[in-house]
Amino acid sequence: MGRVVLNQQVINGLGSWGPVDDDIRNRARRVQAMARGRGPIDTGDYVSSIDTEKLRPHGWRVVARDRKSEWIEFGTRPHPIPKPGAPRNKKALWWPGAAHPVHSVMHPGTAPTHNLAEALELAARGTTHI
C-alpha cells in the first residue's frame, strides 16, 4: 500500500480560490447536517453544538463544542458515580426501583458513537439521506 504525505506549508501557500472554498464549505455543512441528524438527542446540547468553522488561510472543519462531545464520540470507561472524593447534596444516590440509597455505584461506561467520523464517511460516499 502506498503512503501519502501532505506538505501543509505548500498547501497553505497556494491561496484560496472562491469556487473551491465555497465547495469545501458546502461539503462541511453537509457533514454538519449529517452529524446533527445522527447524533444522540438526550438534551439536544451535543447536536446543537455541532458546527462548521473556517480555517485560516483556507479550509473548513466540523466541530462539536458541547462539553460531553468527547464522551459521546469516544465513549467512556467504567467509572464510579459520584466520582471518589466528590460527594454531592445528601451524599447518597437513589432512583426509582432502588432497594435503598447507596453511596456510589459503578457506571458501566458508554460505547463510542464516532458520530462525526461516520457523518464524514457517509458524506464522502455521497450518501445524503439520514
Side-chain angles (χ1 to χ4, degrees):
M1 178 184 286
R3 182 173 178 198
V4 176
V5 178
L6 300 176
N7 186 330
Q8 195 62 46
Q9 280 185 310
V10 171
I11 292 169
N12 290 345
L14 292 175
S16 182
W17 186 46
V20 172
D21 195 55
D22 290 346
D23 181 61
I24 293 170
R25 182 191 64 233
N26 291 337
R27 290 170 188 261
R29 288 186 177 157
R30 241 185 320 214
V31 173
Q32 173 194 12
M34 182 91 44
R36 283 185 170 187
R38 298 172 43 82
I41 309 178
D42 290 339
T43 64
D45 294 341
Y46 167 75
V47 170
S48 64
S49 81
I50 299 172
D51 202 2
T52 58
E53 66 182 28
K54 176 92 169 116
L55 299 176
R56 302 287 178 210
H58 44 263
W60 289 83
R61 74 174 156 199
V62 179
V63 296
R65 292 190 172 92
D66 184 57
R67 66 179 187 85
K68 300 177 293 293
S69 298
E70 185 176 350
W71 305 333
I72 292 169
E73 290 293 324
F74 303 110
T76 63
R77 295 181 181 159
H79 54 278
I81 300 173
K83 293 181 180 176
R88 303 212 178 134
N89 300 335
K90 297 183 180 181
K91 302 179 184 177
L93 300 170
W94 183 85
W95 57 94
H100 52 78
V102 294
H103 177 67
S104 68
V105 293
M106 273 306 274
H107 187 286
T110 56
T113 65
H114 304 296
N115 183 48
L116 294 175
E118 289 179 6
L120 177 63
E121 185 176 327
L122 290 169
R125 281 196 232 144
T127 306
T128 56
H129 64 280
I130 297 173

